[in-house]
Amino acid sequence: MAVSYSLHELWHGRLGSTDTSLAWTASVLVLSLAGLLWSLARRSSGRASPLQPTKTVGTNGSSAAACPPEQLKDDLKGGVVNSYALERELTVPFELGDVRVAKILMHPIKSCRGTSLQEARYTPEGLENDRKWCIVEAETHTIITAREVAKMVLITPRVEADATSPHGGKLVISFPEDSDCETFSVPLYPTEELLADWPIIEDCTMFGKYLVEGYVVSSGLGGPGARTPSEILSDYFGRAVHLAMKGLRARECPPTDAFPELRETAMFQDGYPFLVASQESLGEVRRVVSAYAQDESAQEHIGGIDRKRWRDGGVEIERFRPNIVFKGSGVPFAEDMWRRIRIHPAGGLDEQDAVSDKETRTFTLVSKCTRCLLPNVDTTTGTRDAAVPYKVLLKFRRNKDPARKHKPCFGCNAIVGGEGVVRVGDRVEVLEWAGGVGV
């Protein structure tokens, strides 16, 4: 005889004690069987094909069913909440479009305005002249960033290379017109004789723990009677500061969960030599910003968001200060799942160069980049937004980095195997995919 009881009857105690006991026993058996079948199904689906090994990347470290990027993109079509915050996994490797280098950004002075380049030389410490200089407090030697002084982003450093110059060219630093600060220039590659006259700060301090060596740029190229870089910058900041150029002592990068024995060095970057991101990821951030700006429901409210200002989601990539921006994957945050990539010249290499250049063109993504409030600073006005993009990123890009789960992520930190040149239009090949929750 079949036994059938509704949950409603069980919950409200409308059955006799014997019937209730039988019903609960039957329910437990059914649930146990369902759990066993589900577990077997998960194990079966988790086995890699002998022809095509498959890893899964859990967006929350979850064990939800894997899905292809096409299904994920369908999930993104409706509502503010998107699948990156839900129990979803991406199956990797997945098919990519024609991924290319879309933009190269170099920032000579830390936290000051960047320069868009068509090509750039690089070393294992980063793009040539990227974050080679910084501005430090004269008394404490603390490195100043736009996190504290937003108007730093309005200082414009410009590299002017000159092979005939004894200094290889100059770095020209200019200010907003209303600042009353004059433009000045400093040597791009100071001679040993000049460096001998510049004081050394051994403890330029970043985040209260990293001590970086730097030369105080004590003289510019303005000639007799010109003010020093320190004097001009101190006027702009309203307190005593120095322009510092990275010294010779190596500055080690911090280890990551994936690379606990990391032995790379960098300049004045926050952590690592390179920051990479993609146009697809930026597009997804813009979509979510726009959605929150237009959704006036209480449950989706973000404090301080300017609905009119952000209705179109117009966040610029420059706010995130990446070095290399990719385009063509077709999947937002695809770079989260790339462990090693190789950037090939758009025009190709001859066979001999192709072999020798393999390692120098191979970039390893060592971690996701956890974000602070700096991207809230408008790079054109120097004002800090109350909400965008940081508060929006908190809604769907937290729990991505195992070491700092409370911080939202955008972009990935990277290292490279040697020296080379990267150009806009270069082709990107994924050599290795990351497992787990990505890089």
Side-chain angles (χ1 to χ4, degrees):
M1 182 177 76
V3 179
S4 177
Y5 301 104
S6 71
L7 289 176
H8 181 81
E9 289 174 319
L10 287 169
W11 181 261
H12 292 283
R14 294 179 182 174
L15 301 175
S17 59
T18 302
D19 289 342
T20 301
S21 177
L22 288 171
W24 278 116
T25 301
S27 298
V28 170
L29 287 173
V30 169
L31 290 174
S32 299
L33 180 59
L36 177 61
L37 292 173
W38 180 85
S39 177
L40 290 173
R42 285 289 296 158
R43 291 180 183 178
S44 176
S45 63
R47 293 192 186 102
S49 162
L51 298 177
Q52 180 61 63
T54 301
K55 303 172 186 174
T56 57
V57 177
T59 58
N60 287 339
S62 67
S63 58
C67 69
E70 292 73 19
Q71 183 178 341
L72 184 64
K73 285 190 283 187
D74 288 341
D75 293 339
L76 301 179
K77 291 178 181 177
V80 171
V81 177
N82 69 62
S83 63
Y84 293 108
L86 303 178
E87 297 295 317
R88 279 291 191 192
E89 288 181 346
L90 276 178
T91 303
V92 298
F94 53 80
E95 185 177 352
L96 296 171
D98 182 18
V99 183
R100 300 278 174 162
V101 173
K103 200 161 196 171
I104 301 169
L105 293 166
M106 184 264 293
H107 308 82
I109 304 177
K110 185 176 182 66
S111 270
C112 296
R113 182 165 287 165
T115 301
S116 180
L117 304 172
Q118 287 300 300
E119 67 175 61
R121 295 195 63 82
Y122 60 81
T123 73
E125 292 192 323
L127 295 182
E128 186 176 29
N129 296 315
D130 185 62
R131 276 87 165 189
K132 181 178 176 180
W133 294 266
C134 72
I135 297 169
V136 300
E137 299 275 5
E139 184 176 348
T140 66
H141 300 167
T142 299
I143 296 173
I144 308 171
T145 72
R147 299 174 185 89
E148 302 85 41
V149 183
K151 68 177 185 177
M152 284 186 72
V153 300
L154 303 181
I155 300 174
T156 304
R158 185 177 70 256
V159 171
E160 292 186 1
D162 181 2
T164 65
S165 164
H167 309 298
K170 57 187 177 182
L171 181 71
V172 182
I173 297 101
S174 58
F175 302 85
E177 289 185 8
D178 60 0
S179 69
D180 295 327
C181 290
E182 67 266 33
T183 297
F184 68 91
S185 302
V186 299
L188 196 57
Y189 302 103
T191 61
E192 289 186 8
E193 292 76 17
L194 189 57
L195 288 176
D197 293 332
W198 288 2
I200 295 178
I201 299 177
E202 296 185 349
D203 59 346
C204 296
T205 308
M206 188 158 40
F207 304 126
K209 57 181 179 179
Y210 301 127
L211 302 181
V212 189
E213 182 185 83
Y215 289 98
V216 175
V217 183
S218 302
S219 55
L221 299 174
R227 294 203 295 170
T228 66
S230 294
E231 290 172 331
I232 299 171
L233 287 167
S234 294
D235 268 1
Y236 188 76
F237 280 80
R239 59 184 188 270
V241 301
H242 295 308
L243 177 66
M245 187 188 80
K246 174 70 172 59
L248 297 176
R249 190 180 72 207
R251 173 259 165 129
E252 292 187 355
C253 299
T256 68
D257 273 28
F259 295 89
E261 303 299 324
L262 190 65
R263 292 289 182 269
E264 298 295 323
T265 60
M267 305 294 277
F268 286 117
Q269 299 96 331
D270 276 0
Y272 304 90
F274 300 90
L275 176 61
V276 302
S278 73
Q279 293 283 15
E280 286 84 357
S281 300
L282 179 68
E284 176 62 3
V285 171
R286 287 174 170 172
R287 186 194 72 81
V288 178
V289 166
S290 175
Y292 273 106
Q294 296 181 57
D295 193 327
E296 299 185 10
S297 62
Q299 64 269 26
E300 302 296 356
H301 176 68
I302 289 183
I305 192 167
D306 184 337
R307 297 189 185 281
K308 183 178 180 181
R309 164 72 176 83
W310 296 110
R311 192 171 185 83
D312 66 350
V315 180
E316 308 88 359
I317 193 66
E318 286 77 9
R319 285 176 176 253
F320 296 99
R321 306 179 74 81
N323 297 120
I324 304 174
V325 182
F326 306 122
K327 183 179 181 180
S329 72
V331 180
F333 306 108
E335 61 271 24
D336 285 3
M337 278 70 83
W338 300 344
R339 177 60 72 198
R340 289 192 310 127
I341 60 173
R342 185 167 294 148
I343 299 180
H344 300 273
L349 291 169
D350 60 43
E351 188 173 345
Q352 183 176 354
D353 287 339
V355 173
S356 62
D357 274 17
K358 278 187 177 180
E359 284 307 309
T360 62
R361 292 185 165 276
T362 300
F363 290 74
T364 301
L365 280 57
V366 296
S367 67
K368 300 184 188 71
C369 181
T370 53
R371 309 309 308 209
C372 61
L373 287 169
L374 196 152
N376 282 31
V377 177
D378 189 321
T379 57
T380 59
T381 66
T383 57
R384 182 180 288 108
D385 194 88
V388 175
Y390 188 78
K391 287 185 179 179
V392 176
L393 289 172
L394 283 173
K395 293 287 187 178
F396 76 116
R397 290 293 296 168
R398 274 193 299 185
N399 299 316
K400 310 300 177 187
D401 181 77
R404 304 174 73 188
K405 292 184 177 181
H406 65 291
K407 287 281 190 178
C409 295
F410 182 91
C412 296
N413 299 305
I415 59 176
V416 72
E419 299 183 9
V421 179
V422 60
R423 299 178 176 86
V424 171
D426 282 355
R427 180 174 60 85
V428 179
E429 175 191 9
V430 179
L431 301 177
E432 181 184 345
W433 296 79
V437 293
V439 301

